[in-house]
Every structure is written in structure tokens, then in C-alpha cells.
Amino acid sequence: MKTIWNIDQMHSEIGFKAKYMIISAVTGHFEDFKATIVSENQNFNHSQISFTAQTNSITTKNSKRDGHLKADNFFNVEAYPELVFTSKSFDGNVLIGDLTIRDITKEISLEADFKGVATDSYGQTKASFKVKGAIRRKEFNLTWNALIEAGNIAVSDTIKLIIDLQFIKE
């Protein structure tokens, strides 16, 4: 029997981290996103997972930097308003799927830690996951960079994904 689970935005975060100037990091997240899981079992193996984030909702708590990320150098939010993930497989530990950023789709692999299912004080059944991984931003045509002193680059190519997800059973 198929069960549909919808994202609980109040208890979820789609975060990322990039090295900046080799010595520090910038973190951020998307504020406007949707996700669903269609499962056929309680351990979520072989579930269908889909996710969409509005690129204009990116925030790093710095409006100037956020404006730069929304411009054509990075997400080009006017031309590409969404980033999309669609799963291909999930074995309980590894989530594999297609990630589309801008007009480029690449298969990615993420570590997924299923934290369990619980019923909240309102009687809603919820499932929780911690998802981690990394992408290479240049593979998605997010190519802007600058050289800093000693010839190093300002922003790393590798972007770490740190995602906390809570779903509500429909």
C-alpha cells in the first residue's frame, strides 16, 4: 500500500556550506521548498522522493551576497526559478537521484540517515531524515569565482549539502 508523506517545512532545513577564501566557510539555506515521499514500506526503502526549491529563496544572511547568488553568475533566478531533485533509488542509506540546477541535470548520490517515525502531540505521524552529501558547483554552471592573494580561489567548487527533513504522513 502506497503512503504519501509531505514535507513539514517548519521542521526541515535545506542547507549548504561552501569554503570561502580557504580559511572559512559560508553557510546558507533555501526558505521556500516542497518535497514528497511515496513509500510502500515502513523503512522507506525504494521510496520515490521528489524535492523542489525556489532559487529566489536562497539566503546566507547577507543581502549583498544573496543578490550575487540570485544573479546570472550563479542561480539566475529569473531564468531558472527552481532547482529540482527526483530520486532514482533509495536503499535506506544511499539516496541516488537527478538534481537539476539551472538547465543542467546530473545524477548525485547522498547519504541518508532515517531517524525514525513518531506521532506528535497533534496526532500527526512524522518521519525524519538527515541527508548529507556534496556537489561540484561548476558541473551545474555555477562558475563565478575570483582569485585572492597567493592565487587561491575565493569560493570552493565543492558545496556540502546538510539537509534535515521531517515529513508528515498524509
Side-chain angles (χ1 to χ4, degrees), residues 32-162:
D32 186 3
F33 54 89
K34 294 178 183 168
T36 59
I37 297 176
V38 178
S39 66
E40 293 192 29
N41 54 55
Q42 292 186 334
N43 64 12
F44 292 90
N45 288 1
H46 311 293
S47 293
Q48 298 169 342
I49 302 163
S50 61
F51 168 81
T52 304
Q54 300 302 308
T55 54
N56 197 41
S57 74
I58 194 168
T59 182
T60 61
K61 298 182 183 176
N62 178 295
S63 61
K64 186 175 179 183
R65 179 173 46 231
D66 294 347
H68 189 209
L69 290 172
K70 293 174 184 181
D72 190 38
N73 286 332
F74 283 96
F75 287 100
N76 191 353
V77 300
E78 288 185 28
Y80 308 105
E82 296 181 332
L83 63 83
V84 177
F85 175 85
T86 304
S87 69
K88 290 180 167 180
S89 68
F90 179 56
D91 68 3
N93 297 304
V94 178
L95 174 60
I96 296 172
D98 287 334
L99 177 63
T100 302
I101 299 176
R102 296 178 62 109
D103 58 346
I104 298 172
T105 301
K106 297 274 184 188
E107 184 177 278
I108 64 169
S109 178
L110 303 167
E111 293 177 40
D113 185 12
F114 173 47
K115 296 295 189 179
V117 174
T119 302
D120 70 11
S121 58
Y122 300 103
Q124 296 176 313
T125 302
K126 297 192 174 185
S128 179
F129 298 84
K130 176 81 171 181
V131 179
K132 297 186 289 185
I135 62 169
R136 296 177 56 96
R137 66 184 178 88
K138 290 178 184 174
E139 290 181 352
F140 294 94
N141 204 22
L142 306 174
T143 58
W144 179 90
N145 224 328
L147 290 177
I148 57 173
E149 199 173 308
N152 291 321
I153 56 171
V155 181
S156 65
D157 183 34
T158 300
I159 306 298
K160 292 183 180 179
L161 306 175
I162 308 118

Side-chain angles (χ1 to χ4, degrees), residues 15-26:
F16 59 88
K17 183 179 281 193
K19 281 189 181 179
Y20 178 69
M21 294 184 56
I22 309 301
I23 59 171
S24 64
V26 171

